[in-house]
Amino acid sequence: MAASTDSFYLGFDFSTQQLKVVAVDGNLRVVHQDNVQFDSELPEFGTRGGVHIHADSLTVTSPVLMWVKALDLILGKMKNAGFDFSRVKALSGSGQQHGSVYWRKGTNQVLRDLHPGKSLHELLKGGFAVSDSPVWMDSSTTEQCQYLETAVGGAQRVADITGSRAYERFTGNQIAKIYKAQPEKYEDTERISLVSSFAASLFLGSYAAIDYSDGSGMNLMDIFSKQWADSCLEATAPHLEERLGAPVHSSAVLGLLSPYHVTRYGFPEDCKVVAFTGDNPGSLAGMRLQEGDIAVSLGTSDTVFLWIKEPRPTVEGHIFCNPVDRPSYMALICYKNGSLTRERIRNKCAGGSWEVFSSVLRTTPIGNDGNIGIYFDAMEITPSAVGVHRFDKENTKVAGFSAQGEIRALVEGQFLAKRVHAEKLGYKIIPGTRVLATGGASSNKDILQVLSDVFDAPVYTIDVANSACLGCGYRALQGLVAESGVSFAEAVRKAPEPQLAVTPTPGADKVFAPLLRRYAELEETVLQESKQ
Ligand SMILES: Nc1ncnc2c1ncn2[C@@H]1O[C@H](COP(=O)(O)OP(=O)(O)O)[C@@H](O)[C@H]1O
Ligand SMILES: O=C(CO)[C@@H](O)[C@H](O)COP(=O)(O)O
């Protein structure tokens, strides 16, 4: 495909801790990157790690106006840096998955009439029926999940329709909680967006459709017919379909950029907005994942995902529609205790320094002398258990490890869990499997070495740490030609290939084979204990 090198394509990512942007040119070269950290650059919202954890420790929200203000800030930064908005032909983006935004009645008109002399934050101050959006870290909707599974015919039935059994963080269950606890707010809601489609709306100047891929994380959409599932809608809240709008495929052009951005920043009048999607689907696009690859994202959450052709939903893990290939799907497993847990142990055992943390990984023995740790600071998603559990080589519970042992136990434990659960779902590591790593912690080679050793496979990375942004820049470019039949693979043929970062240490496979079996048994014990 010949895209002009004079043209730019933007990809935004509204993730848990920050808003990021990447601009690529027609040759798919990165020409600009920027970010806004919520905690440090928008301290007036008082978030930690981009969220508020409520007193029950289960409810987790983010202020919706913080995301709006972050967009004002990042576009302002780009303007100050001299970024030439007039060359942007299309933009797209992604958001942390499952989070929901409740637009107050009448706000679609406000979006259509945005005055370019004012910030979005000023204009949209009164625009939300719910000011604190539930996000993916929330696990307060167990009651709603049980209700959904009973109403629809069981956990497997919900998975057969929506790709996942009922999960606390999934949007439908969050909507059901808001409808029950704050019916007046639900009544005052004109439209419900995902974080991704909310962000797209800010660019479009009207409510943007939810795309199939991010829409798969709601427990509301039939992932096969790609329509809202009546049985799920009925079990969630009344008049929900009209509040959601019809979903669209992930490469759909939603329309032209709002005149607000044209006047305020100098975008061209014909700049297109391509559907936004979830951050994990965005990463699948950015890493140009191929069938047979396993992607490991080490962001606020840790996720493992794969490209699949024949989805078989089960009561563990998730199946989402594929964001770049309409007939295909992606499988995903999510772990809540990712970077924030690594940061806690870094602060406790390595004086707050990643360098010290890394040097411990370099100098401690592979396999940690048989010591295994399971660190679920917050209620984990995979599996649903909580607490810190340490075992010596005899599988006896111990109260603590040395500082060095704790660091290695944490990182090994996190990767053992990923491999154990991926294999439980039938995904095999075979000769030739590439592990593609992304997310903030993928910049740490010593963490990647442990990943490579546990998976017994080479680990590859891409130059841009934020693959979701990059993937959405690519998707913006492809969105312009998707209707004329140009596939995503063809559109991004010229993009740089992932680079080999590390290979397994010789002999590591023999050390980890028994540890994988032991980890699976110990995790099962922890799970049973936490059910008592
Ligand atoms: N050198 C490093 N080693 C390990 N982890 C790191 C390093 N640098 C950054 N991180 C982790 O990256 C995380 C942010 O990842 P990122 O993918 O940007 O998050 P998100 O997209 O969820 O906002 C931070 O919480 C931090 O713990
Ligand atoms: O809940 C999930 C996936 O199901 C999370 O992966 C969120 O999408 C948050 O992403 P990060 O901010 O950690 O990238």
Side-chain angles (χ1 to χ4, degrees), residues 56 80 84 107 109 166 181 204 217 283 362 385 395-396 450 464 496 515:
D56 63 0
N80 291 340
D84 186 358
T107 307
Q109 199 51 49
L204 198 59
S283 283
R362 284 195 297 274
N395 290 348
T396 305
V450 182
V464 179
L515 289 178

Side-chain angles (χ1 to χ4, degrees), residues 43 68-69 95 103 199 254 281 354 379 424 449 451 462 507:
V68 175
K69 207 167 180 182
W103 301 89
L254 300 176
W354 284 127
M379 175 62 80
K424 209 166 142 191
Q449 185 62 59
L451 173 63
I462 55 170

Side-chain angles (χ1 to χ4, degrees), residues 295-323:
V296 176
S297 171
L298 305 169
T300 311
S301 63
D302 282 356
T303 60
V304 176
F305 52 90
L306 310 100
W307 177 302
I308 50 169
K309 282 232 158 81
E310 286 164 19
R312 276 187 291 275
T314 66
V315 291
E316 190 170 302
H318 316 299
I319 307 286
F320 298 152
C321 295
N322 190 297

